[in-house]
């Protein structure tokens, strides 16, 4: 039971130092500099029975190589597939990283220096020069902390990061550690990580950029931008700039179009600016101009920050999803951040290839199944005109012990962090708080009503909110709180496997049942079958390419009917192959 005790001590609910202020993406400017700490880091997995040797021996007090053997691991990347060691691929517990870095003496005075990790999965503790500076709970989202007081400007610095991928009943996604105590069948201290219905691999490590960045002492802390459109003849840009560190003696705000022409300006921290005949942000297929972005340039007492944004509106009726007051039909896919070798690690080449394939397929919408994707992916979606359903890591919330107060508070914190990061992104058209939870349990009702209400209220733009249900209309108790009914069903695959003839009957029945109960639009967020490339069978049979085509075709017959009434989209599962736990 050492692992359980140790987790209880060290994985207390911790809100990072970034809580309570903005989370602007680090950008170079005339007043700001960034320094990436990506590259090869030294690495060691703590394989002690309780996974606590690193804390007992205080590995952070010196370079890792001083306390034992290390290997080189790339950052950003998941560590699981980097070596040929199966035990590292399947490792659960604390993994330790460190590296040396230098800081320019130009940063020594009259500047804030901030250390930031864009994503470390799942829990993280960070030390700089042997001093703890920040803890963060939850993967997929950035956290940061000021570090100028612990840095050395006249010599080497080192940073140590401990990352833990253990999933418990109170994490997102939840999981459980199962111990095996029969030493005639299992080695001493043997345990496994159970992931419930989480059908994707639990990649671990530092998955996105690590960097330092500077700001002046008086700095732009946050920017919020809201847009409205009046008959496409004028747009209203309602912005608010939050300043920290002191008094803002000078304020200059300009709106620039894509050609860097100034189209509006102000000298206050909050204002509503008019833009005549704006170019609106549109998804692919709705307009000849897609993904058009403006820039809000803010200069506060010499600190300059440029925030991209698009002008568009989103609204839901009982039958339609409207973007800029025109009906939007989602032709989409579910995805994963997943690739050979790098796992969930950020990869610009992969991002570009994925979006080119999405355009080739005619996709205009994606869901960040089942966790927040990298900011670089979200920014690319902005520019490419791909609408995004922005989903939290709330997947597999299926057991009663996943609905407690600790779980609820963590879920609220995650949604708050996600909104703070993505609130200005025009591609984000809806928030999804969970995927396939046990929404038929009574305990799920207050839990998800709280989260959905909180999410809507926390977003300055009050975007639509949803979750993805896989429960039938007879038993689901939560969709009544969502703005859009999102459904995952695999008729003819997970049920009645191979029987294509039942798909239309069952799909029509499910749509009709939900619509009778709730006058809300429906989005079919997952359907599809496993297929072996190159396997051909005629007549079609499961796993053959012919079966996949027929399976999709049976769904499309019903989609084409429902699209004329209340269906607002269809999303194939999945865009590309991804790793699972089996």
């Amino acid at each position: 039971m050492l692992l359980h005790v140790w987790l209880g001590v060290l994985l207390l609910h911790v809100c990072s130092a970034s809580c309570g202020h903005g989370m602007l993406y680090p950008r170079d400017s005339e007043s700001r500099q960034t320094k990436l700490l990506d590259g090869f880091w030294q690495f060691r997995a703590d394989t002690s029975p309780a996974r606590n040797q690193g804390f007992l021996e205080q590995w952070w007090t010196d370079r890792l190589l001083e306390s034992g053997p290390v290997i080189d691991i790339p950052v950003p990347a998941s560590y699981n597939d980097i070596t040929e060691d199966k035990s590292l691929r399947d490792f659960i517990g604390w993994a330790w990283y460190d590296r040396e870095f230098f800081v320019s003496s130009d940063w020594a005075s009259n500047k804030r220096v901030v250390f930031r990790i864009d994503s470390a999965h799942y829990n993280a503790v960070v030390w700089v020069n042997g001093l703890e500076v920040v803890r963060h709970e939850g993967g997929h989202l950035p956290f940061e902390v000021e570090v100028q007081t612990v840095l050395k400007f006249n010599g080497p610095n080192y940073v140590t990061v401990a990352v833990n991928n253990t999933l418990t009943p109170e994490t997102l996604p939840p999981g459980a550690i199962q111990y095996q105590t029969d030493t005639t069948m299992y080695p001493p201290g043997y345990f496994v990580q159970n992931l419930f219905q989480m059908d994707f691999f639990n990649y671990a490590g530092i998955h996105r950029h690590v960097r330092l960045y500077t700001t002046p002492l008086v700095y732009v802390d946050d920017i919020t931008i809201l847009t409205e459109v009046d008959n496409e003849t004028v747009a209203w840009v309602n912005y608010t700039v939050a300043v920290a560190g002191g008094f803002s003696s000078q304020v200059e705000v300009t709106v620039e179009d894509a050609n860097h022409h100034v189209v509006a300006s102000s000298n206050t921290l909050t204002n509503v600016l008019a833009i005549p005949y704006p170019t609106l942000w549109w998804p692919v297929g709705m307009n000849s101009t897609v993904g058009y972005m403006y820039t809000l340039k803010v200069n506060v007492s010499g600190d300059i920050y440029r925030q991209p944004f698009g002008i568009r509106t989103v609204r839901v009726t009982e039958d339609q999803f409207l973007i800029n007051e025109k009906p939007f039909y989602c032709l989409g896919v579910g995805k994963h951040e997943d690739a050979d070798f790098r796992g969930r690690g950020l990869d610009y080449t992969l991002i570009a290839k994925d979006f080119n394939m999405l355009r080739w397929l005619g996709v205009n919408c994606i869901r960040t199944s089942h966790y927040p994707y990298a900011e670089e992916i979200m920014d690319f979606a902005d520019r490419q005109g791909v609408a995004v359903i922005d989903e939290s890591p709330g997947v597999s919330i299926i057991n009663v012990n996943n609905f407690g107060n600790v779980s609820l508070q963590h879920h609220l914190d995650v949604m708050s962090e996600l909104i703070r990061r993505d609130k200005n992104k025009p591609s984000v058209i809806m928030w999804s708080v969970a995927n396939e939870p046990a929404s038929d349990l009574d305990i799920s009702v207050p839990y998800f009503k709280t989260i959905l209400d909180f999410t809507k209220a926390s977003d300055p733009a009050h975007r639509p909110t949803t979750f993805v249900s896989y429960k039938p209309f007879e038993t689901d108790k939560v969709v009544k709180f969502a703005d859009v009914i999102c459904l995952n069903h695999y008729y003819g695959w997970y049920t009645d496997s191979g029987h294509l003839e039942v798909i239309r009957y069952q799909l029509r029945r499910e749509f009709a049942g939900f619509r009778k109960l709730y006058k809300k639009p429906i989005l079919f967020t997952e359907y599809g079958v496993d297929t072996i490339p190159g396997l051909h069978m005629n007549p079609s049979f499961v796993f053959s390419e012919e079966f996949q085509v027929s399976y999709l075709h049976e769904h499309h017959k019903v989609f084409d009917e429902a699209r004329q009434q209340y269906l607002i989209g269809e999303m194939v599962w999945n865009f590309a192959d991804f790793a699972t736990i089996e």
Side-chain angles (χ1 to χ4, degrees):
M1 297 297 290
L2 283 176
L3 182 64
H4 175 76
V5 173
W6 157 72
L7 287 173
V9 172
L10 291 177
L11 295 192
L12 296 174
H13 174 68
V14 178
C15 185
S16 77
S18 61
C19 287
H21 67 75
M23 191 53 65
L24 297 174
Y25 187 79
R27 304 180 192 276
D28 285 323
S29 74
E30 296 86 337
S31 62
R32 297 179 173 221
Q33 291 178 288
T34 61
K35 176 184 176 68
L36 282 177
L37 297 181
D38 297 353
F40 282 106
W41 290 49
Q42 295 183 333
F43 174 90
R44 180 190 307 136
D46 183 346
T47 58
S48 62
R51 302 295 195 261
N52 63 346
Q53 183 179 354
F55 288 94
L56 294 176
E57 297 180 359
Q58 300 184 354
W59 288 352
W60 64 85
T61 58
D62 206 339
R63 297 298 307 277
L64 272 180
L65 57 83
E66 298 297 330
S67 56
V70 295
I71 63 173
D72 290 331
I73 284 285
V75 171
S78 302
Y79 60 69
N80 306 84
D81 293 335
I82 300 300
T83 74
E84 308 309 306
D85 185 352
K86 187 179 185 301
S87 65
L88 183 59
R89 173 180 168 80
D90 300 331
F91 180 76
I92 302 296
W94 287 103
W96 293 72
Y97 293 75
D98 84 348
R99 65 157 291 167
E100 184 179 81
F101 65 95
F102 291 84
V103 180
S104 170
S105 59
D106 295 341
W107 291 12
S109 60
N110 299 319
K111 294 182 185 294
R112 293 172 66 245
V113 182
V114 180
F115 175 88
R116 174 178 171 123
I117 295 180
D118 287 343
S119 171
H121 191 76
Y122 173 81
N123 290 278
V125 186
V126 180
W127 298 262
V128 175
N129 295 325
L131 299 174
E132 183 178 327
V133 293
V134 67
R135 293 186 176 206
H136 185 258
E137 181 180 355
H140 316 293
L141 290 166
F143 58 98
E144 61 183 32
V145 62
E146 291 186 31
V147 293
Q148 62 266 23
T149 59
V150 299
L151 290 176
K152 299 175 183 177
F153 297 94
N154 58 354
N157 297 269
Y158 73 97
V159 56
T160 308
V161 180
V163 179
N164 191 314
N165 64 335
T166 305
L167 300 179
T168 74
E170 296 166 342
T171 59
L172 283 183
I177 296 295
Q178 180 181 357
Y179 299 89
Q180 301 290 354
T181 58
D182 186 347
T183 56
T184 66
M185 298 181 64
Y186 300 96
Y190 186 82
F191 66 89
V192 293
Q193 171 79 77
N194 289 332
L195 301 177
F196 307 138
Q197 292 180 353
M198 193 180 93
D199 189 25
F200 54 94
F201 192 78
N202 186 31
Y203 281 115
I206 301 176
H207 286 153
R208 299 172 192 159
H209 290 308
V210 181
R211 72 187 99 205
L212 296 167
Y213 73 89
T214 68
T215 75
L217 297 179
V218 178
Y219 61 98
V220 177
D221 180 58
D222 198 13
I223 298 172
T224 301
I225 302 171
L226 307 174
T227 61
E228 296 181 10
V229 181
D230 188 358
N231 294 323
E232 298 190 25
T233 59
V234 63
W236 305 99
V237 179
N238 184 341
Y239 73 86
T240 300
V241 178
V243 178
F247 176 72
S248 52
S249 59
Q250 174 193 4
V251 178
E252 297 177 1
V253 178
T254 58
V255 176
E256 299 178 355
D257 64 17
N259 295 317
H260 305 294
H261 298 143
V262 175
V263 296
S265 62
S266 173
N267 59 3
T268 60
L269 293 176
T270 183
N271 207 338
V272 180
L273 302 178
I275 300 179
Y277 299 101
T279 302
L280 303 185
W281 186 93
W282 292 99
V284 171
M286 292 191 71
N287 192 276
S288 58
T289 301
V290 300
Y292 191 91
M293 300 293 291
Y294 289 85
T295 300
L296 190 79
K297 178 183 176 183
V298 178
N299 185 338
V300 173
S301 302
D303 183 27
I304 299 174
Y305 189 87
R306 294 172 174 87
Q307 176 63 53
F309 72 98
I311 297 174
R312 65 105 184 89
T313 62
V314 171
R315 187 167 67 88
V316 174
T317 72
E318 67 177 39
D319 299 316
Q320 294 179 318
F321 195 104
L322 304 176
I323 295 181
N324 300 327
E325 292 303 308
K326 294 185 178 181
F328 171 67
Y329 190 81
C330 169
L331 293 168
V333 294
K335 285 184 91 280
H336 269 295
E337 285 183 312
D338 185 305
D340 290 340
F341 313 128
R342 64 191 60 78
R344 202 150 285 134
L346 178 70
D347 186 314
Y348 288 102
T349 302
L350 186 65
I351 294 171
K353 181 63 174 177
D354 278 1
F355 273 85
N356 275 282
M357 292 183 70
L358 291 173
R359 181 67 65 91
W360 174 68
L361 288 168
V363 169
N364 64 6
C365 181
I366 63 172
R367 176 166 61 115
T368 66
S369 43
H370 301 294
Y371 40 80
Y373 289 0
E375 288 172 89
E376 292 77 9
I377 293 176
M378 305 299 288
D379 288 344
F380 211 66
D382 284 345
R383 299 193 301 273
Q384 293 289 310
V386 176
V388 177
I389 300 167
D390 209 353
E391 189 161 89
S392 86
V395 58
S396 300
I397 305 174
I398 60 172
N399 297 317
V400 172
N401 64 352
N402 303 146
F403 291 94
N405 288 334
V406 174
S407 298
L408 175 61
Q409 185 58 57
H410 177 52
H411 205 151
L412 294 174
D413 287 345
V414 168
M415 295 312 302
S416 179
E417 291 183 24
L418 177 59
I419 292 167
R420 185 171 53 199
R421 192 194 75 166
D422 291 347
K423 62 184 176 182
N424 293 321
K425 300 188 185 305
S427 60
V428 176
I429 60 170
M430 184 160 56
W431 308 107
S432 171
V433 303
N435 178 75
E436 297 186 357
S439 54
D440 55 345
L441 299 179
D442 289 340
I443 197 172
S444 71
V445 175
Y447 183 95
F448 280 110
K449 184 179 188 305
T450 299
I451 291 172
L452 288 163
D453 288 349
F454 173 85
T455 301
K456 176 66 73 69
S458 298
D459 177 12
H462 304 300
R463 288 172 178 84
T465 58
T466 191
F467 78 102
V468 177
S469 175
Y470 74 120
K471 298 298 182 180
F473 68 87
E474 296 96 334
T475 62
D476 190 290
K477 302 176 186 294
V478 177
V479 294
K480 60 187 175 184
F481 304 120
D483 295 310
V484 173
I485 299 173
C486 291
L487 301 176
N488 291 351
H489 288 296
Y490 292 86
Y491 305 122
W493 185 247
Y494 291 135
T495 59
D496 299 304
S497 182
H499 292 279
L500 299 172
E501 65 275 9
V502 307
I503 292 174
R504 279 181 282 167
Y505 289 89
Q506 296 180 8
L507 190 54
R508 287 181 181 130
R509 178 182 182 276
E510 194 71 1
F511 283 174
F514 273 108
R515 282 291 293 184
K516 184 177 180 179
L517 291 171
Y518 312 108
K519 291 298 184 285
K520 298 181 179 185
I522 295 175
L523 174 59
F524 210 68
T525 39
E526 286 187 27
Y527 70 107
V529 294
D530 294 327
T531 304
I532 300 174
L535 177 62
H536 295 281
M537 302 184 73
N538 223 343
S540 69
F541 194 66
V542 292
F543 295 106
S544 70
E545 292 187 12
E546 287 77 11
F547 183 83
Q548 181 187 51
V549 171
S550 298
Y551 178 92
L552 297 176
H553 186 58
E554 288 300 305
H555 284 78
H556 295 163
K557 293 174 183 177
V558 181
F559 293 162
D560 290 345
E561 298 168 1
R563 182 176 179 176
Q564 307 305 314
Q565 305 170 62
Y566 49 77
L567 188 69
I568 63 168
E570 55 199 77
M571 308 185 79
V572 177
W573 187 262
N574 184 282
F575 165 71
D577 289 345
F578 58 94
T580 67
I581 59 177
E582 298 176 348

